Amino acid sequence: MTKTIFTILTALLLISCSKDSAEPDPVPTPSESMYFPPLTGTTWETKSIADLKWNQSAVQPLLDYLELKHSKSFIILVNGRIVLENYFNGHNASTNWYWASAGKTLTSTVTGIAQQENLLNINNKVSQYLGTGWTSETLAQENKITCKHLLTMTSGLDDSTDDVDPADLIYKADAGTRWAYHNVYVKLQDVVASASGQTWENYFNAKLRDKIGMNGTWLKIDVNSVYASTSRSMARFGLLMLNKGKWENNIILNEAYFNEATTTSQNINLGYGYLWWLNGKSSYHLPQSQLTFQGSVIPTGPSDMFMALGKNDQKIYIVPSKNMVVIRMGEAADNENLALSDFDKVLWEKISALYQ
């Protein structure tokens, strides 16, 4: 794993360069509109802590904690405007960094785009697009695995290895009967490529990246397909998803698929959608575990929050009730290297202190 992270870092060096009232006010103040930054350039509107009437004294403790926990960047958007944007440890606004598993949500989103273009149907079996024999299962077992099973981590394939060659994709349970965090989701990129007749990256760039002004590229690291971009590009994607797949008046992802992707997708892990983590559910599972944990994934975070979470604490938190997007990139916050760690809990205590 250390070798993998070193390889990622080496590759990155190469690519980096309203108030309720019985009567209306005499002069009604409309609620603030949603802002979308221009597709090119560095212009991005800001909103101050004072304008939001947030707690200025809570800012420094938050930034100190982020720096202590090996962060490289941190951004808060409210209504699309930058409220906080901070960089640490030599990182800056033009530096690329890897998303790790937070990038799974990019794959989910582009799969939805391909479906709305009638190139594929997530309820179809994977072998319809990849051909049979993409696993080592029997034909009957393999034919039960749909694209939706890959989106929901319920393929039933053995999760003891993350390799995705046919020889490593071994039967563990019938598709749909077992939730297990597995790298096999990456086969959706092959499905999209096959269905569109384009390379995955070309389709991704044309249908998502370029339409919302992101930068970045896909890195092939061992069996992983890892996205790397600036922190602002990550924030752009978060803003798109805060707006249910719309960028200004342009529908990038249709709202019906967005709603499916960001609600409980199966009855085993209630805290999981289509490669998105969901807060505020009554129970959840963690990667590499078959245990059911009671309560919310991040108990200190907003209950309506949905999240893209990646190795070494790459984070996109989206909070619809506050029109807020929060981005964190960096090294692992703690020695315990889980996508979900105590870091999330403490970080949200400190974020919440800004507005409570």
Side-chain angles (χ1 to χ4, degrees), residues 20 49 64 71 81 114 136 150 158 167 210 219 226 317 322:
D20 294 326
I49 295 287
D64 289 345
S71 301
R81 294 166 180 84
S136 289
L150 300 187
D158 187 352
D210 298 346
L219 306 171
V226 179
Y317 306 105
K322 298 193 175 298

Side-chain angles (χ1 to χ4, degrees), residues 130-152:
L130 302 187
T132 58
W134 66 276
T135 73
S136 289
E137 296 189 326
T138 66
L139 185 60
Q141 292 166 342
E142 183 180 278
N143 279 339
K144 290 180 180 179
I145 305 175
T146 65
C147 298
K148 189 172 181 178
H149 289 130
L150 300 187
L151 285 167
T152 59

